[in-house]
Amino acid sequence: MNSRMEKGGPSKKELRKFAIIAFFFFGLLAALQFRHHRMTAVYIFTFLSAWGLVASTTLPVLIRPLHAVLTRVAHAIGWFNTRLLLGVMFYLIFTPLGVLMRLFGHDLLRQKVDRNVKTYWITREEKPFDKEHYKRQF
């Protein structure tokens, strides 16, 4: 969990920003639902939008429950997306690439054992000492 949440929650400034964003977001959702003639959703989103407007102008503390709920939802979505995206990358990109490299005999890490070699030490070319190299390494 975020350390800011453990110390008593977000500041008034952060809540005010969140309330303004909530005002516009829920207002947009209400307008979209009005366009499709879904009046129950229009009332709900209009109420949430008005709540955001009142909270941003008068008492940002009013928006704290919505902020807490949406923050938890965002963390849950982020947790799920991270696992999903990493799993897809691993099984659809890295695994087939590894299998192909093994099939074609590529050994990028040079892990194959060669009994005819005296040492596995890789000699590097000597470079003169330069302080700038340590300041700008890349």
Side-chain angles (χ1 to χ4, degrees):
M1 192 67 114
N2 195 347
S3 63
R4 184 178 70 228
M5 295 304 230
E6 294 169 359
K7 295 180 183 178
S11 67
K12 284 186 178 182
K13 184 178 179 180
E14 290 172 355
L15 286 174
R16 187 167 281 124
K17 285 180 186 178
F18 177 77
I20 291 170
I21 291 170
F23 166 69
F24 285 112
F25 177 73
F26 288 122
L28 177 68
L29 286 178
L32 290 173
Q33 296 304 316
F34 182 75
R35 183 175 172 202
H36 294 288
H37 305 291
R38 297 181 184 133
M39 296 312 290
T40 305
V42 169
Y43 297 140
I44 292 170
F45 289 135
T46 302
F47 171 74
L48 291 173
S49 179
W51 189 20
L53 179 65
V54 169
S56 68
T57 56
T58 58
L59 291 170
V61 178
L62 292 175
I63 201 86
R64 189 175 300 228
L66 182 63
H67 182 272
V69 168
L70 290 180
T71 300
R72 289 182 191 266
V73 168
H75 280 286
I77 291 171
W79 181 89
F80 178 75
N81 280 343
T82 300
R83 271 98 186 138
L84 178 72
L85 292 174
L86 287 175
V88 166
M89 281 181 53
F90 181 77
Y91 288 110
L92 295 181
I93 296 173
F94 297 126
T95 302
L97 186 64
V99 169
L100 285 173
M101 292 184 79
R102 280 190 178 200
L103 285 175
F104 290 113
H106 289 284
D107 185 21
L108 295 178
L109 297 178
R110 298 181 187 148
Q111 291 183 327
K112 289 183 182 175
V113 176
D114 187 4
R115 305 225 183 257
N116 298 328
V117 177
K118 253 183 165 177
T119 180
Y120 288 104
W121 187 265
I122 301 170
T123 56
R124 306 281 184 212
E125 68 178 65
E126 295 272 337
K127 292 183 181 177
F129 178 74
D130 183 21
K131 289 182 183 179
E132 290 299 317
H133 175 72
Y134 292 101
K135 290 181 183 176
R136 295 182 43 134
Q137 295 181 13
F138 303 104

